[in-house]
Amino acid sequence: MTELFAERYPEQARLVRAALLTSFVALGVGALFGLLQALHRTDVLRIVESPTYYTVLTGHGVFLVVTFTIYFLVGLYQWAVTDSLDRGPVNPRITWVWYGLMTVGTVLTAITILAGFLDDPPEVLGSELSADVLFTFYAPLQGNPLFYVGLAVFVVGTWIAGADWFRTWWAWKGDNPGERIPLPTFMVLTTMIMWYLSSIGVAVAILAFLLPWSLGIVDSVNPSLTRTLFWYFGHAFVYFWLLPAYMLWYIVLPKLSGGRLFSDPLARVVFILFVVLSTPTGIHHQYLDPGIAEGFKFIVMTNTMFLLLPSLLTAFTVVASMEHGARQRGGEGTFGWLRTLPWRDPAFTGMALAGLVFAFGGFTGIVNAGMNINYLVHNSVWIPGHIHTQVGTAVALTFMAGGYWLVPQLTGNRLVGRQAALFQVVLWFVGIVFMTNSMYRAGLDGVPRRSAEPQYAFDYDISLGSMAELDAQLALGGVLLFISTILFLGIMALTWRNDGTEPVVDGRIPPALSGPEDAPRVIDDLRVWTALAVVLIVLAYTLPLVAVASRGGLFGPDITPLPVAVDYWLPVLADLVGASIG
Ligand code: HAS
Ligand code: CU
């Protein structure tokens, strides 16, 4: 039997290819918007007017953290389920239904965002066609109803995708009674349980409040309530980006290192901890929000600190697997084994560098999570620093590296330009170091995030450096990241077209050193972990939600919707800048 996924499962390979292609197109558009922002913010080059900066920023956020990441996720997970269960879906047509729904949702949302570039956007469904609401779309910012409809349809698509994977697993279970769930499928199912539990929050925020409000069916909403519902979902959302990257680190990275996964049971524990703890932590994004008692914030901080555990376990297991691989290849010494790792392989080096950056980004996450230190960094450009090390590198660079490994197996073509690919991942690493170094340092001094106009006098010195130097690093980092993205997309396009040259990739995943039989059976009982997660969510959220809703009313006081982000952010920025300069 051939080992090539595309030959074993041609229909599935087609879907995975379509998902990755959509993901990469979104990456290209999102990266272009990112470049525009970096150059605008630093005043190096201004192509759009400052109010349009928020259209660009919304597109950058949505196309990258929703479209790029989630299309990659569904592609990877479709591959993982099919490959590890060695069977296709029960009804392949359903697969195209959820893919179609996600795509309809994406197109609607993209149209509303891009319409923000028009001088005179048309009226649709009673309001101007635009949605400069940023990727968090908090009230009182208001977008066109189509924006919310698109998001809702997209989320429903992901729900059906999850149901599809569960169905495949049930069919497999019927044929293989008593067998342990293969690890990749276990990762898919646990991620989706987390996603179901958390995305209910954003679905309620959209369908019960924001959409009726933008349609004019209700006059106002309670901004605290919709924010709290958003963040009920929002922290688990960041792990929805992270867990597919973790899958690649656990499944593919040990193999690329020349060895085997150190412990399958530990990997399962990690994914279970994410199911249990991801949602009851969301309020750590609201430490500065009024209307939520400090005691609840403290509980959430405690949960968040426990939530470090799965990532620390991951650091241990993944590095141990890499070391095992290196020693198999003849590596010796306490650190000498690092040299024998396959650094010339772009898939390996991309993932390893992503892990390295993630270690630093994880530490900044710990800073964010401290209730007291959060006051220092909240709403400052430190937060985009954190975002770009985490989703912007740990996840994005892992996905690109994963693409170098997966796409040849999906297309049957050899990877074109291995040297260029190696250069590409290193260039990303260098770019992100410049960019986030600038963001973290400037943020500590109170330079605001989400602002088109954070210009300080050129020779203005903040305590951690001069603005000129920090801006130069930010702009340079942005340019390098953009070049790296274009290079990645070019290599992918050439590989896609390189028909007929057999890939040299070996798609088999070797068994773990400590296999699933070393884990107690209860680990695979997903009902237990789901129930535990529900209990924690009820404990963490019932009282805060009741308090927020009863204080502001379900539909809130009469608030005036704001059409563009700038109206909302300017007063916030004025406060921040005033506080740090004055
Ligand atoms: Fe975060 C804000 C806390 C992880 C994304 N976060 C954000 C926002 C985003 C985001 C997008 O508590 C901004 C939202 C907005 O627009 O307002 N975050 C955390 C904590 C973690 C964390 C405690 N965040 C992530 C991940 C993200 C992400 C992952 C995306 C993928 N974050 C916060 C808080 C805020 C926040 C507050 C609100 C801030 C505010 O005030 O607005 C933890 O999960 C981090 C744990 C990670 C570690 C690192 C372990 C190290 C590993 C490396 C292994 C090494 C390898 C390679 C494999 C402890 C696993 C070795 C290589 C060799 C060569 C040997
Ligand atoms: Cu969070």
Side-chain angles (χ1 to χ4, degrees):
M1 188 176 65
T2 167
E3 291 303 329
L4 205 60
F5 184 79
E7 286 170 18
R8 279 187 291 140
Y9 293 102
E11 172 85 6
Q12 303 320 311
R14 205 169 307 133
L15 180 109
V16 181
R17 281 199 303 266
L20 295 195
L21 197 62
T22 318
S23 164
F24 295 158
V25 169
L27 173 64
V29 181
L32 176 65
F33 286 8
L35 179 69
L36 293 183
Q37 273 161 244
L39 299 181
H40 189 105
R41 250 191 92 98
T42 50
D43 217 7
V44 173
L45 174 70
R46 298 196 146 198
I47 294 174
V48 296
E49 300 288 323
S50 279
T52 312
Y53 175 89
Y54 300 94
T55 305
V56 177
L57 185 52
T58 306
H60 177 65
V62 173
F63 295 144
L64 291 180
V65 302
V66 182
T67 321
F68 162 59
T69 48
I70 299 185
Y71 271 99
F72 193 94
L73 176 145
V74 295
L76 183 73
Y77 278 14
Q78 183 67 41
W79 163 80
V81 169
T82 312
D83 191 64
S84 68
L85 298 181
D86 204 7
R87 71 193 295 151
V90 178
N91 180 353
R93 257 179 306 181
I94 301 285
T95 314
W96 290 102
V97 169
W98 56 254
Y99 181 80
L101 279 176
M102 285 176 63
T103 306
V104 170
T106 303
V107 170
L108 289 180
T109 303
I111 289 175
T112 49
I113 295 172
L114 297 176
F117 287 109
L118 302 174
D119 285 336
D120 192 12
E123 278 234 342
V124 178
L125 294 172
S127 64
E128 187 181 273
L129 187 66
S130 71
D132 296 342
V133 290
L134 311 181
F135 89 95
T136 44
F137 53 89
Y138 302 135
L141 299 180
Q142 193 185 57
N144 185 273
L146 280 186
F147 175 79
Y148 305 107
V149 172
L151 287 182
V153 172
F154 181 85
V155 171
V156 170
T158 63
W159 286 349
I160 300 177
D164 202 19
W165 298 323
F166 267 95
R167 197 173 171 210
T168 313
W169 167 60
W170 277 319
W172 174 88
K173 208 163 98 156
D175 295 345
N176 300 274
E179 269 198 44
R180 303 304 289 258
I181 309 173
L183 184 60
T185 299
F186 184 88
M187 292 174 162
V188 170
L189 301 181
T190 42
T191 310
M192 292 317 289
I193 294 173
M194 177 191 83
W195 181 243
Y196 286 126
L197 291 175
S198 62
S199 54
I200 295 169
V202 77
V204 172
I206 293 175
L207 296 177
F209 299 108
L210 298 173
L211 178 60
W213 178 53
S214 73
L215 283 167
I217 298 172
V218 297
D219 288 339
S220 91
V221 293
N222 175 346
S224 290
L225 180 60
T226 48
R227 264 174 87 90
T228 309
L229 285 169
F230 181 87
W231 285 120
Y232 166 95
F233 149 84
H235 189 71
F237 187 28
V238 313
Y239 293 139
F240 200 52
W241 311 325
L242 182 71
L243 294 188
Y246 270 18
M247 174 189 277
L248 288 167
W249 292 1
Y250 279 107
I251 307 283
V252 181
L253 193 55
K255 173 195 165 69
L256 296 177
S257 312
R260 291 155 61 183
L261 174 61
F262 181 70
S263 165
D264 168 302
L266 263 184
R268 287 177 204 249
V269 168
V270 164
F271 275 69
I272 286 172
L273 284 170
F274 281 115
V275 172
V276 173
L277 285 167
S278 293
T279 309
T281 48
I283 290 175
H284 68 218
H285 292 261
Q286 296 179 284
Y287 286 144
L288 264 90
D289 280 21
I292 300 176
E294 296 288 292
F296 292 127
K297 293 177 179 168
F298 186 82
I299 292 174
V300 157
M301 174 172 78
T302 313
N303 281 350
T304 305
M305 295 304 170
F306 278 114
L307 192 47
L308 299 175
L309 192 62
S311 289
L312 296 172
L313 283 176
T314 299
F316 171 75
T317 315
V318 171
V319 175
S321 311
M322 286 164 69
E323 182 181 344
H324 169 254
R327 296 207 187 274
Q328 295 295 105
R329 300 160 65 98
E332 282 173 0
T334 312
F335 294 109
W337 56 268
L338 282 165
R339 271 192 313 243
T340 42
L341 287 168
W343 293 107
R344 288 181 184 285
D345 178 352
F348 169 83
T349 301
M351 287 188 210
L353 291 177
L356 198 62
V357 172
F358 185 61
F360 289 99
F363 298 144
T364 63
I366 302 174
V367 170
N368 298 346
M371 267 171 87
N372 48 353
I373 322 183
N374 182 271
Y375 297 136
L376 178 66
V377 295
H378 185 66
N379 270 345
S380 79
V381 72
W382 164 284
I383 302 297
H386 172 70
I387 301 178
H388 286 85
T389 43
Q390 303 294 82
V391 63
T393 298
V395 174
L397 187 55
T398 300
F399 284 2
M400 290 189 244
Y404 290 143
W405 183 78
L406 195 55
V407 168
Q409 300 178 59
L410 295 169
T411 54
N413 303 335
R414 196 168 42 81
L415 177 68
V416 172
R418 267 174 80 90
Q419 289 298 330
L422 190 59
F423 176 71
Q424 184 267 322
V425 295
V426 175
L427 188 64
W428 189 280
F429 176 77
V430 175
I432 209 71
V433 168
F434 277 119
M435 187 163 141
T436 55
N437 177 273
S438 155
M439 287 175 157
Y440 283 131
R441 283 166 53 206
L444 283 180
D445 242 312
V447 175
R449 72 183 283 198
R450 292 182 154 172
S451 169
E453 303 291 347
Q455 274 84 46
Y456 293 70
F458 192 65
D459 54 358
Y460 181 71
D461 286 339
I462 57 175
S463 57
L464 292 170
S466 78
M467 282 311 290
E469 179 237 300
L470 292 171
D471 275 352
Q473 285 207 41
L474 178 58
L476 174 65
V479 170
L480 296 183
L481 290 171
F482 182 70
I483 297 172
S484 176
T485 311
I486 296 302
L487 202 52
F488 168 75
L489 294 175
I491 294 169
M492 280 290 110
L494 291 176
T495 301
W496 227 284
R497 292 194 34 182
N498 176 30
D499 28 30
T501 327
E502 278 288 302
V504 281
V505 173
D506 168 10
R508 277 168 311 180
I509 307 293
L513 286 171
S514 160
E517 63 287 350
D518 294 335
R521 284 207 162 258
V522 64
I523 293 250
D524 280 13
D525 192 342
L526 301 176
R527 287 165 307 184
V528 173
W529 311 119
T530 311
L532 188 59
V534 171
V535 170
L536 281 185
I537 289 171
V538 170
L539 286 179
Y541 264 105
T542 314
L543 291 176
L545 276 174
V546 170
V548 167
S550 59
R551 186 161 300 134
L554 261 191
F555 289 93
D558 222 2
I559 54 160
T560 317
L562 299 175
V564 278
V566 66
D567 301 339
Y568 174 66
W569 283 98
L570 273 182
V572 177
L573 299 178
D575 275 0
L576 252 173
V577 178
S580 67
I581 297 181

